[in-house]
Amino acid sequence: MTDRIQTMRTFFVTDRAHHAHRRPAGDERCLAVNFAKEGLSDVRRASLRLQHVLETETPVVFPWERIAFLRTIRTIPAIFTAEEEEQLKAEHRLHERGDVSNICVDYSIFLRAGLPGMLDKVRRQREEFLQKGAEEQAAYLHEQEEILLAVQNLTERYRQEAQRVGNTVVEETLGALLSRAPQTLLEAMQLQRIIHFTMWCGNNYHNTLGRFDQYMRPYLEHDLQAGILDEESALELVEEYFLSFNRDSDLYPGMQQGDNGQSLVLGGKNADGSDGFSLLSRLCLQASLELRLIDPKINVRVSKDTPLSVYQLGTELTKQGLGFPQYSNDDVVIPGLIRLGYKPEDACQYAVAACWEFIIPGRGMDVVNIDALPFASLTRKAIVDHLSDSADFETLYSHVRDGIRAEADRLCDNTRGLYVYPAPFLSLMMEGCVERGEDVSRGCIYNNYGFHGTGLSTAADSLASIAQYVYQEGRYTPQEMLEAMETDFAGREEMLHTLRYDAPKMGNDDERADSIACRLLEDFSLSLEGKHNDRGGIFRAGTGSAMYYLWHGELGATPDGRRANEGLAANYSPSLFTRCRGPVSIIKSFVKPDLAKVINGGPLTIELHDTLFRNQDSIDKVAGLIRSFILLGGHQMQINAVNRETMLDAQKHPENHRGLIVRVWGWSGYFVELDREYQDHIIRRMELAM
Amino acid sequence: MLYWVEKNVSGFYLFHGYSRTYGVTNMQSGVVFEFKEFAVQDGPGARLTVFFKGCPLRCQWCHNPEGLSSAPQLMVSRQSCLQCGACQSVCHAQKENTSCDLCGACVRVCPLGLRKIAGQRYTSQELIRIIRRDSDYYRALDGGVTFSGGEPLMQPAFLSEVLDGLQDIHTAIETCGYAPSETFLSIVPRMSFVMMDLKLMDPAAHRHYTGVDNEPILRNLRSLCEGDTPFVVRIPLIPGVNDTKENLIASARFLQGARSLQRVELLPYHLTAGAKYSMLGKEYSPDFDPAQPVRTYTDLFEQYDIRSVVL
């Protein structure tokens, strides 16, 4: 890291000196009241709101920066009044906050056209609609044009401010962007910064970054050829750009501070079979390694052909304790997506949503986290209702399967009538939206819905316990087992010990548990097969948990020896109290299911003690461990380098650990900024670290 | 009752159908206190490390005190104990005023799972089967299995029989080298790789800090130096005990010219070494000041043409 980057890092991250430019929080409903009074359409509202924010933004240019744009407005006004929102909720299914989120736009559309080119495109298309008499579509494009003009206007004001403070680099870059498409890496990054900034100003969130090394690569190659950059100066530029993702991120909405969806994908097989990992991919890993910041969050696409050196670079990054990179396996994900109906050429383009869900840039309006199937509670219910009257394990399991099917039906039904607030700016970068004159919130090429699956290991272990101790050995009668669950094992310490520590567990390469996990996932996948949502899309089963692992953990005791309300594992991982033999057994367990069939996303997470990363030799071996998961058919993996003692100390003395970064579920955040329940869950997870 | 027979007599006899005489009387068994998957510091590549229970030395800095005694032992983690009394209520030894016979009753009732019995007896075939389970995996990561401890050479017949079943697997041993020559020579050259400790060159100091004479160790190390088995020498650097120039120079002189010596690994003392003593009801009271800084003379071995590294 150069001194210049170090100084900027201190300014933005340590001192947060730029916060001085922030205005006080505003009235969230300042626009909505008038919108309602005037009876404006939702598209018009979304457009006016974004224009309003862009117009009221005050340019701030620091003399020493090369990539500008800083949020000064804290509050993005809503487009509906509270009453209207209630009404919408009553009539429709709203997802999360209602806005378009957690998709990946195709930045290359905007980068290739440039600001003037985008304006031209929209104007031309609008003319066409007007000539055809397509008023509604023309009106929609008019909104997009207005937004682009507001972006242009703000860019011009930023240019003037740059001139005023004597920052000629920013002044010239913005001047160029106002007149043409970007040519250099700096220009491309500045334009993407403007685009990304504008997306948040429109209240869109979890604005992911997609295959950054693919769409930025031509600009780097241009600069290297033209002698504008060399490797070293390119690295510095990438670092400066990565820093910009940490300027305003505390203003971005999420479940917890850090959950902001700025995930970026590196590498990956292209449709022509070539490997997408390039010099730029390596520079990105290097930049992230040196900066040690939670944004952007790095994903690496790998396959059986990926050389060990890529994993070694990734493991160097893991060693920093950032909780990334996260790896996804093209050999499983791409066929899985094709199986779900994605075109092969689109499947090859997959990127990663805010956490781990696989999405197609510019083409997917998928809602990948619309709900979650709770394996643990469904299994528990089947056991409570049917253990006494099931003569054998297969009969009991058939009730579990019925439960999964019924719940899947319910979840699917519950997605009906989805209404999403319009996102005219994002629509500029989504396939066909301009050409159709239709907002992406109404749909795009892919309109699929994804369900997480939580508590898989708890469910599999519970059923394995019952198969072993009730049906096979007869050690416990069904009655005993049910009473134990009902009374939370009160007075049954020895039984609890047996179930917790002696019973078969997923994560110990034990067929007795693993085979049940395979069946549960298979049945989850089957329960969604052939079903369609009311946007013409399909449903995707997955292995993620998101925040559901805490919500679904509020559950009575289970036959795996889990006490009532004890937490579930996050994502696709062994149960929290499992005494796993080690990472090899975990990997061997977790590659057994046919993961291409549950490809919504959700990684196996393994916590490794930070001493395993002590020297180059051991880092190379950990890289081999990760590679083995990919070679054995794993779909997605994420490794954490952890030290439990450090976290316990951070709870006691947060002031000493402001920079301590941890992986939460699909994202990394600063440990001290998390709510206590999340901190505690992570510490519980650490107890399993190897 | 098949399960019981399988577990307690011998899987070997049941699965392979050899004569009862051969399967039972000839089969060795031994005590192992831990398996560690994916060990990265115990030899080339990634490895499964098997910790044999029992050690002839009593090094004052030992961080694996459960590896010292050959017999299984009860270990109790006391820090988060709720003092609920469940363990005492089931303890027949306490009631009968006898000593603990490791019945394991208390282990099974502790609500927090804080108790365990360190050390379990395995037949050689059982251990071979455990090692073979993932041996393909470790081979793919350029590794294999490592025998550590305790001191694996304390159970030579058992170890030898285990090695018989692992001839296609990369095997390594971590040994203190304190064993009769014939034992050492019958086992160690069969390994693919050897990691041997060299703690102190001075005989009196060695006796004081480890409880045994270093003469057999140096004799065995000499044979290793003269042999063809690739090996490394590990020196735990204990502050004020052996981290002196004199000791390290003497070590280097001893090792100079050993053709199969790959390098010397220096392992600085860790303050956490005493962590497990209280779990065995023991006190950690070393005869040196653990808080003292450790001295590392990194370039010293290079002067004798020996590669060295601090781990």
Side-chain angles (χ1 to χ4, degrees):
Chain A
M1 199 183 334
T2 61
D3 288 348
R4 188 170 158 274
I5 298 294
Q6 183 61 58
T7 308
M8 289 177 73
R9 190 189 187 282
T10 306
F11 183 87
F12 287 116
V13 179
T14 315
D15 299 345
R16 299 175 186 185
H18 62 296
H19 285 206
H21 296 276
R22 293 225 180 121
R23 295 185 226 170
D27 173 13
E28 204 197 340
R29 307 284 173 186
C30 64
L31 300 177
V33 179
N34 277 335
F35 289 168
K37 217 180 281 171
E38 294 172 34
L40 299 181
S41 75
D42 55 357
V43 169
R44 179 91 184 121
R45 293 180 190 210
S47 168
L48 284 176
R49 183 257 312 269
L50 179 51
Q51 290 176 50
H52 167 83
V53 176
L54 296 176
E55 279 158 15
T56 42
E57 260 301 349
T58 319
V60 178
V61 178
F62 302 107
W64 31 262
E65 69 184 353
R66 286 185 291 181
I67 301 166
F69 272 63
L70 182 82
R71 266 274 286 278
T72 67
I73 294 176
R74 266 176 225 267
T75 315
I76 305 295
I79 58 170
F80 293 108
T81 64
E83 298 76 51
E84 285 175 317
E85 273 174 17
E86 284 311 306
Q87 181 82 19
L88 283 168
K89 273 182 201 157
E91 291 169 4
H92 298 277
R93 158 95 194 215
L94 293 190
H95 180 59
E96 294 180 0
R97 307 163 56 93
D99 303 278
V100 172
S101 67
N102 214 18
I103 64 168
C104 185
V105 300
D106 182 354
Y107 293 99
S108 71
I109 293 178
F110 210 127
L111 292 175
R112 276 204 293 264
L115 194 46
M118 287 305 284
L119 261 169
D120 278 353
K121 178 181 173 184
V122 168
R123 282 171 176 156
R124 257 186 307 171
Q125 189 65 49
R126 181 164 174 253
E127 270 318 302
E128 243 177 71
F129 281 130
L130 284 174
Q131 277 166 16
K132 279 193 278 188
E135 295 290 334
E136 202 183 319
Q137 285 81 354
Y140 179 72
L141 289 196
H142 176 67
E143 300 303 341
Q144 290 191 318
E145 182 185 346
E146 299 264 286
I147 291 168
L148 286 170
L149 288 171
V151 174
Q152 191 182 49
N153 179 279
L154 180 60
T155 307
E156 169 59 19
R157 285 189 289 128
Y158 256 94
R159 194 193 62 77
Q160 289 166 14
E161 176 63 10
Q163 192 175 32
R164 194 187 69 78
V165 302
N167 187 331
T168 49
V169 176
V170 169
E171 185 196 342
E172 282 167 17
T173 307
L174 296 178
L177 293 176
L178 285 164
S179 63
R180 58 166 170 77
Q183 290 168 353
T184 65
L185 187 61
L186 175 62
E187 288 170 5
M189 285 173 170
Q190 176 65 74
L191 181 55
Q192 195 190 22
R193 170 78 187 139
I194 296 170
I195 296 167
H196 205 233
F197 175 94
T198 306
M199 288 159 81
W200 297 102
C201 289
N203 220 30
N204 298 108
Y205 63 95
H206 285 164
N207 296 313
T208 63
L209 298 162
R211 301 185 73 191
F212 182 82
D213 58 350
Q214 308 303 307
Y215 57 77
M216 284 297 182
R217 187 172 165 178
Y219 303 99
L220 173 65
E221 282 171 359
H222 167 275
D223 288 2
L224 292 174
Q225 247 165 33
I228 296 170
L229 290 175
D230 58 16
E231 264 191 50
E232 204 179 314
S233 52
L235 176 64
E236 189 185 5
L237 187 57
V238 172
E239 289 184 352
E240 180 166 355
Y241 189 48
F242 277 12
L243 262 176
S244 75
F245 293 97
N246 296 276
R247 291 182 173 195
D248 314 323
S249 46
D250 60 311
L251 296 174
Y252 303 161
M255 286 293 297
Q256 290 276 296
Q257 200 54 258
D259 172 26
N260 57 43
Q262 300 189 97
S263 49
L264 177 152
V265 179
L266 301 176
K269 264 186 198 164
N270 291 314
D272 62 6
S274 64
D275 184 359
F277 198 89
S278 64
L279 169 66
L280 181 55
S281 328
R282 193 163 58 74
L283 292 177
C284 289
L285 285 175
Q286 182 71 24
S288 189
L289 177 73
E290 292 184 0
L291 287 170
R292 292 196 64 188
L293 292 172
I294 60 172
D295 286 296
K297 304 168 205 307
I298 309 283
N299 289 267
V300 182
R301 279 177 49 175
V302 291
S303 72
K304 62 178 179 350
D305 302 321
T306 302
L308 190 65
S309 58
V310 171
Y311 296 97
Q312 287 167 339
L313 274 173
T315 308
E316 292 276 357
L317 186 50
T318 300
K319 181 190 180 178
Q320 307 303 312
L322 296 163
F324 54 71
Q326 175 169 261
Y327 300 88
S328 55
N329 185 357
D330 286 2
D331 296 330
V332 176
V333 177
I334 293 172
L337 290 173
I338 292 172
R339 198 181 154 273
L340 286 171
Y342 292 83
K343 286 188 192 144
E345 61 271 28
D346 290 342
C348 288
Q349 289 295 337
Y350 81 86
V352 176
C355 296
W356 7 253
E357 303 92 335
F358 305 112
I359 50 175
I360 312 301
R363 311 200 111 206
M365 180 52 208
D366 295 343
V367 184
V368 289
N369 57 346
I370 200 159
D371 219 323
L373 183 106
F375 280 116
S377 68
L378 292 174
T379 299
R380 186 177 192 277
K381 184 166 189 318
I383 291 167
V384 168
D385 293 351
H386 296 288
L387 183 61
S388 309
D389 58 40
S390 297
D392 52 28
F393 180 76
E394 284 308 314
T395 311
L396 177 67
Y397 186 81
S398 71
H399 292 294
V400 175
R401 188 169 49 223
D402 292 347
I404 290 174
R405 286 181 186 158
E407 177 69 0
D409 288 347
R410 194 187 68 79
L411 294 179
C412 290
D413 275 348
N414 199 31
T415 64
R416 282 176 204 283
L418 181 74
Y419 170 69
V420 186
Y421 302 163
F425 182 71
L426 268 64
S427 302
L428 289 166
M429 292 164 281
M430 296 301 287
E431 182 80 23
C433 287
V434 172
E435 292 77 2
R436 289 196 316 276
E438 192 178 40
D439 196 89
V440 70
S441 61
R442 315 288 196 254
C444 198
I445 312 278
Y446 299 110
N447 302 289
N448 304 324
Y449 294 161
F451 295 131
H452 301 313
T454 63
L456 175 70
S457 45
T458 302
D461 295 350
S462 293
L463 289 167
S465 273
I466 288 190
Q468 183 72 30
Y469 298 121
V470 177
Y471 290 113
Q472 197 177 327
E473 289 182 30
R475 191 186 300 195
Y476 308 119
T477 64
Q479 206 48 42
E480 273 177 288
M481 185 61 92
L482 292 169
E483 275 174 25
M485 288 163 62
E486 180 66 32
T487 59
D488 201 12
F489 301 104
R492 295 175 203 261
E493 286 77 14
E494 193 160 346
M495 179 181 186
L496 179 65
H497 182 94
T498 301
L499 298 175
R500 262 176 109 80
Y501 303 120
D502 300 344
K505 301 286 176 193
M506 200 184 172
N508 263 334
D509 189 18
D510 187 327
E511 259 326 286
R512 295 172 296 175
D514 298 342
S515 60
I516 295 172
C518 293
R519 292 177 76 175
L520 289 167
L521 286 178
E522 178 84 19
D523 284 320
F524 181 21
S525 175
L526 280 172
S527 71
L528 300 175
E529 230 169 72
K531 287 200 167 70
H532 289 271
N533 64 39
D534 57 1
R535 292 187 158 208
I538 47 98
F539 295 96
R540 323 191 321 178
T543 48
S545 67
M547 55 287 177
Y548 294 97
Y549 69 95
L550 288 181
W551 301 341
H552 289 172
E554 287 168 17
L555 179 71
T558 39
D560 59 336
R562 181 188 138 280
R563 293 194 197 89
N565 299 326
E566 232 180 310
L568 303 176
N571 300 329
Y572 185 56
S573 303
S575 179
L576 289 173
F577 52 79
T578 297
R579 288 177 178 166
C580 290
R581 283 198 299 265
V584 176
S585 293
I586 294 178
I587 284 176
K588 289 179 105 179
S589 256
F590 280 78
V591 296
K592 285 177 194 170
D594 186 351
L595 293 163
K597 291 185 178 168
V598 279
I599 209 65
N600 191 56
L604 167 63
T605 298
I606 296 185
E607 329 277 356
L608 296 178
H609 199 268
D610 57 8
T611 50
L612 270 179
F613 298 80
R614 195 154 53 188
N615 53 36
Q616 191 57 49
D617 185 48
S618 59
I619 284 175
D620 293 350
K621 292 176 187 178
V622 173
L625 177 82
I626 299 162
R627 184 157 176 252
S628 76
F629 176 74
I630 301 299
L631 294 179
L632 291 169
H635 60 337
Q636 195 172 28
M637 183 187 224
Q638 185 256 322
I639 297 266
N640 295 321
V642 299
N643 190 326
R644 181 172 170 268
E645 305 309 315
T646 312
M647 287 177 200
L648 289 173
D649 193 59
Q651 282 192 324
K652 277 187 221 137
H653 308 287
E655 67 282 3
N656 298 338
H657 298 276
R658 294 207 56 87
L660 177 64
I661 291 168
V662 291
R663 187 76 174 176
V664 187
W665 60 81
W667 47 276
S668 302
Y670 292 103
F671 183 79
V672 298
E673 291 178 358
L674 300 172
D675 290 346
R676 182 74 185 213
E677 60 177 332
Y678 289 99
Q679 290 184 352
D680 288 343
H681 187 272
I682 290 165
I683 290 172
R684 287 288 318 275
R685 248 168 46 194
M686 299 310 119
E687 287 165 10
L688 297 173
M690 334 260 165
Chain B
M1 290 308 280
L2 184 71
Y3 181 76
W4 183 85
V5 175
E6 196 180 305
K7 260 281 225 229
N8 290 283
V9 177
S10 97
F12 185 54
Y13 168 66
L14 278 171
F15 284 112
H16 297 278
Y18 286 98
S19 76
R20 187 180 177 84
T21 321
Y22 179 79
V24 176
T25 56
N26 281 10
M27 192 184 300
Q28 297 290 336
S29 70
V31 180
V32 167
F33 71 89
E34 200 183 333
F35 293 91
K36 187 179 184 196
E37 281 193 359
F38 197 71
V40 299
Q41 315 280 4
D42 298 343
R47 314 187 69 85
L48 173 71
T49 300
V50 183
F51 294 85
F52 279 45
K53 202 159 169 359
C55 184
L57 271 57
R58 290 295 178 269
C59 303
Q60 295 196 6
W61 51 84
C62 181
H63 64 280
N64 271 341
E66 74 273 40
L68 296 176
S69 157
S70 302
Q73 282 168 291
L74 180 67
M75 284 184 88
V76 185
S77 170
R78 291 167 209 278
Q79 269 162 355
S80 39
C81 173
L82 303 168
Q83 307 289 339
C84 72
C87 48
Q88 285 168 20
S89 72
V90 297
C91 181
H92 72 91
Q94 200 163 3
K95 276 178 210 132
E96 294 154 15
N97 209 8
T98 54
S99 58
C100 174
D101 62 355
L102 301 175
C103 74
C106 62
V107 173
R108 307 192 59 80
V109 297
C110 174
L112 297 184
L114 300 177
R115 300 172 155 254
K116 69 169 180 182
I117 293 183
Q120 196 183 327
R121 188 163 280 281
Y122 296 87
T123 65
S124 55
Q125 293 304 320
E126 282 169 340
L127 185 54
I128 288 167
R129 201 176 310 137
I130 289 169
I131 293 167
R132 284 202 162 278
R133 237 178 101 106
D134 297 329
S135 58
D136 287 348
Y137 183 94
Y138 290 109
R139 181 178 296 121
L141 293 176
D142 305 321
V145 63
T146 296
F147 302 98
S148 182
E151 173 50 57
L153 296 181
M154 283 274 278
Q155 305 183 55
F158 173 56
L159 179 53
S160 177
E161 211 167 272
V162 171
L163 285 175
D164 287 343
L166 302 175
Q167 294 185 16
D168 54 332
I169 290 173
H170 190 282
T171 51
I173 187 169
E174 286 184 294
T175 177
C176 71
Y178 189 83
S181 289
E182 50 275 29
T183 302
F184 191 86
L185 292 173
S186 70
I187 301 276
V188 173
R190 295 180 64 192
M191 298 285 173
S192 322
F193 188 74
V194 178
M195 288 155 278
M196 181 162 163
D197 277 9
L198 178 57
K199 301 171 206 291
L200 267 165
M201 293 302 288
D202 179 72
H206 197 277
R207 269 193 299 276
H208 178 76
Y209 285 107
T210 73
V212 302
D213 203 81
N214 66 359
E215 191 273 328
I217 295 175
L218 295 176
R219 193 178 59 233
N220 287 329
L221 182 56
R222 176 60 62 210
S223 72
L224 204 52
C225 288
E226 288 163 2
D228 297 320
T229 312
F231 73 106
V232 298
V233 165
R234 291 187 154 176
I235 304 180
L237 291 177
I238 313 302
V241 175
N242 67 350
D243 61 343
T244 61
K245 241 181 194 159
E246 296 71 43
N247 181 54
L248 296 176
I249 288 173
S251 306
R253 284 203 175 125
F254 188 91
L255 296 168
Q256 195 173 16
R259 59 176 189 271
S260 302
L261 174 65
Q262 295 193 337
R263 63 179 189 182
V264 167
E265 297 178 346
L266 302 168
L267 293 83
Y269 177 80
H270 277 280
L271 273 175
T272 51
K276 287 195 271 189
Y277 282 75
S278 70
M279 295 172 77
L280 293 161
K282 291 184 177 177
E283 204 180 324
Y284 183 59
S285 49
D287 195 9
F288 60 90
D289 177 10
Q292 243 175 281
V294 179
R295 285 169 291 181
T296 50
Y297 300 98
T298 41
D299 54 348
L300 192 146
F301 285 90
E302 273 67 16
Q303 292 167 19
Y304 293 84
D305 288 327
I306 298 169
R307 276 185 62 209
S308 72
V309 61
V310 181
L311 286 185

